[in-house]
Amino acid sequence: MASSEARTRQKKRQRTPNGGVRAALFLALFTCTLRCSECEKPSNIVLILADDQDVYLGGMTPMKKTKALIGDAGATFSNAFTATPLCCPSRSSILTGQYPHNHSVRNNSLDGNCSSPLWQKGPETTAFPVYLSKQHYQTFYAGKYLNQYGKKETGNVGYVPPGWDQWHALMGNSQYYNYTLSVNGKEEQHGDNYEKDYLTDLILNRSLHFLDDRSPQRPFFIMLSPPAPHSPWTAAPQYEKNFTDVKAPRDGSFDKPGKDKHWLLRQPSNPMPSTSLNFLDNAYRKRWQTLLSVDDMVEALVKKLEELKVLNNTYIFYTSDNGYHTGQFSLPIDKRQLYDFDIRIPLMVRGPGIKPQQTLPAPVLNIDLAPTFLDISGLNLSFVNMDGQSFLSQMAPELRNGTARPYFLVEYTGEGHLDPDPACPKLGPGLSQCFPDCVCEDAYNNTYACVRTLAEHNLQYCEFADTESFVEVYNLTSDPHQLENIVKKVDPTLLQAMNQRLIKLQSCEGDSCRATKI
């Protein structure tokens, strides 16, 4: 009997852990739970958005620190494009993940829907920061927003777009000094003191304060939008004498006549006069000078993230709203054209799961940024109405499965004035952005839509909404500088196929914009 009771007690001891064992098991379980929650914590995101920075004409050359700290540490996209080559509609595409024909921002004017009440009541309410806020991200914005932001007709400085916790936005277009900010809806005036007012540095400093003051328990999203390298090209004092011997590159389509191109490009004098050449060379140098402060910004921000021990869980994106030209097809300076120098943009990303030293050829658009941010945040993308697609799978295939788009749309609505421009009266009304040498960079009939493909052929097919119904077609494999319009040489079957793709893309929305076959 006694031996039977002893065996029963021994079995109970084998089945029931003692207090020490229970404590050890609890501690192991608690530690595992902590580790799992850390693994599941959404990553932080930083977006640095330059203004008018090209990649085609060497615009990334001054950015040595940025290329080392972001590009070399992650992925560089060799085929990144804007959906439209102009500030306000492009930035609206970045915010909404939509093509311009869906967010309805056509150009930089209030009439073109730039930061208008219609934009504020519609597309802006479903921009990506709204979704990130719902995902419990702490959101911070500093720098240029939309060109008409802060105007009386758009709500003055008191209007703060939804989704932003901290708001330090520039009123109007890019400036470096003597500007006004909306700081969480309150007006803040700035002068011309470098230490206090230089906008690129101010943007950086306020982002560093945000990082110090944030809650470590929640992820953050930071968007920094410096004015560089947009005009008026005001460099920081320490960089005013850099690149004194640099000139705009004279290769490719530089100072070539706009033969067989749409009406606007057939107007410039060729060869260009010395006044235009001197002007564009000066602009080219000054643009590079302003970018050195942006390069410093990237370095300081990465250093801060490293000090706070959050760098390894932070995605950092570097890009621009559009490209730029300086002398291509005898156009002195601007953007707004359909050619690669205006629609190609820099794009580099580093972050969790992205292997360093990658160059990725898959085409990516700026409408893909918003869905990529939301994908990183853990949001189910089927819940949002965006034309773009996440490219997280391109950067980190082990995190996501995905496919590259075979073709995409670029669209632009031209701006003009009802009266003739005093600088170019002989061309009549309907033009804008005119120079004294009677070169106008834009016009009402500079309205076009293009379909671009890199999968089957490196082709671009464009149609103009003008009196000529002009068409331009380029084979960028054999003609990378787009010197020859081959519309009269291309197989009519291919032209018809490109035309049908363009028609469908111009009316696409959401999933239909990402169709693999049209």
Side-chain angles (χ1 to χ4, degrees), residues 75 77 317 347-349 354 360 362-373 375-376 381 388-397 400 402-403 405:
F77 287 85
F317 293 73
L347 177 60
M348 300 180 297
V349 191
I354 303 177
L360 302 178
V364 172
L365 295 181
N366 61 348
I367 60 171
D368 298 333
L369 288 167
T372 303
F373 300 153
D375 193 9
I376 291 170
L381 295 180
Q389 62 189 44
S390 171
F391 56 91
L392 184 58
S393 62
Q394 307 297 332
M395 302 184 290
R400 295 284 187 280
T403 56
R405 59 165 54 81

Side-chain angles (χ1 to χ4, degrees), residues 51 91 144 147 170 172-176 199 226-228 230-232:
D51 195 354
R91 289 164 182 263
K144 175 179 172 178
N147 296 55
L170 178 69
N173 206 355
S174 284
Q175 294 290 329
Y176 298 79
L199 185 56
H230 195 286
S231 62

Side-chain angles (χ1 to χ4, degrees), residues 13-241:
R13 283 196 299 270
Q14 290 172 347
R15 289 197 304 264
T16 306
N18 60 31
V21 175
R22 284 198 300 270
L25 287 173
F26 176 78
L27 181 61
L29 181 61
F30 179 71
T31 303
C32 180
T33 303
L34 274 180
R35 286 175 179 164
C36 292
S37 65
E38 287 174 0
C39 292
E40 293 173 0
K41 181 182 176 182
S43 296
N44 310 304
I45 308 168
V46 175
L47 170 63
I48 301 165
L49 177 65
D51 195 354
D52 284 2
Q53 185 175 13
D54 70 275
V55 69
Y56 188 92
L57 302 175
M60 288 298 295
T61 304
M63 313 293 291
K64 292 179 178 167
K65 300 171 185 176
T66 301
K67 288 190 285 187
L69 293 170
I70 303 179
D72 292 348
T76 299
F77 287 85
S78 57
N79 287 305
F81 296 86
T82 180
T84 186
L86 188 63
C87 303
C88 197
S90 173
R91 289 164 182 263
S92 301
S93 285
I94 291 170
L95 289 163
T96 61
Q98 294 179 334
Y99 280 119
H101 68 261
N102 286 326
H103 61 60
S104 299
V105 179
R106 298 182 295 278
N107 49 49
N108 285 345
S109 68
L110 192 60
D111 290 341
N113 212 24
C114 178
S115 198
S116 69
L118 185 63
W119 154 264
Q120 293 172 2
K121 294 175 184 176
E124 196 172 44
T125 63
T126 56
F128 74 77
V130 175
Y131 291 104
L132 288 178
S133 182
K134 292 177 181 177
Q135 293 289 94
H136 306 295
Y137 271 72
Q138 302 163 89
T139 55
F140 174 91
Y141 192 97
K144 175 179 172 178
Y145 185 56
L146 302 174
N147 296 55
Q148 299 298 325
Y149 172 76
K151 301 291 180 66
K152 180 181 178 181
E153 301 89 340
T154 64
N156 289 314
V157 295
Y159 174 73
V160 177
W164 298 106
D165 298 322
Q166 289 290 320
W167 181 250
H168 303 257
L170 178 69
M171 287 181 61
N173 206 355
S174 284
Q175 294 290 329
Y176 298 79
Y177 295 111
N178 300 306
Y179 54 85
T180 302
L181 292 181
S182 169
V183 179
N184 299 320
K186 294 183 179 179
E187 182 176 310
E188 185 178 281
Q189 297 280 355
H190 284 268
D192 57 3
N193 182 288
Y194 171 69
E195 284 74 19
K196 295 190 299 183
D197 301 315
Y198 193 68
L199 185 56
T200 303
D201 293 353
L202 181 143
I203 289 169
L204 166 65
N205 293 333
R206 297 206 175 172
S207 70
L208 300 182
H209 287 308
F210 167 78
L211 285 169
D212 283 331
D213 297 340
R214 82 198 193 287
S215 168
Q217 282 71 44
R218 292 167 54 203
F220 60 81
F221 178 91
I222 293 175
M223 183 168 177
L224 304 182
S225 186
H230 195 286
S231 62
W233 313 305
T234 309
Q238 65 270 29
Y239 296 133
E240 289 175 346
K241 295 184 179 180

Side-chain angles (χ1 to χ4, degrees), residues 269-386:
S269 300
N270 180 266
M272 301 175 73
S274 59
T275 51
S276 291
L277 291 171
N278 292 335
F279 178 80
L280 68 87
D281 279 335
N282 188 52
Y284 191 89
R285 279 191 296 272
K286 288 182 176 294
R287 283 165 54 80
W288 276 22
Q289 290 170 356
T290 66
L291 284 168
L292 292 175
S293 293
V294 181
D295 206 33
D296 291 341
M297 168 197 285
V298 172
E299 180 185 41
L301 188 61
V302 170
K303 182 180 178 182
K304 184 68 170 181
L305 294 170
E306 196 168 24
E307 288 174 356
L308 295 172
K309 302 188 186 317
V310 294
L311 180 61
N312 290 338
N313 193 36
T314 300
Y315 288 91
I316 306 176
F317 293 73
Y318 185 93
T319 190
S320 175
D321 50 6
N322 48 256
Y324 206 71
H325 59 256
T326 49
Q328 283 59 50
F329 297 120
S330 302
L331 297 171
I333 60 159
D334 200 45
K335 49 267 186 179
R336 307 168 203 257
Q337 302 302 324
L338 58 90
Y339 310 103
D340 264 21
F341 44 74
D342 283 359
I343 65 173
R344 279 189 181 270
I345 54 176
L347 177 60
M348 300 180 297
V349 191
R350 67 172 290 171
I354 303 177
K355 294 179 181 178
Q357 300 283 350
Q358 292 188 79
T359 299
L360 302 178
V364 172
L365 295 181
N366 61 348
I367 60 171
D368 298 333
L369 288 167
T372 303
F373 300 153
L374 299 186
D375 193 9
I376 291 170
S377 79
L379 186 72
N380 185 336
L381 295 180
S382 64
F383 294 154
V384 300
N385 182 28
M386 293 183 173

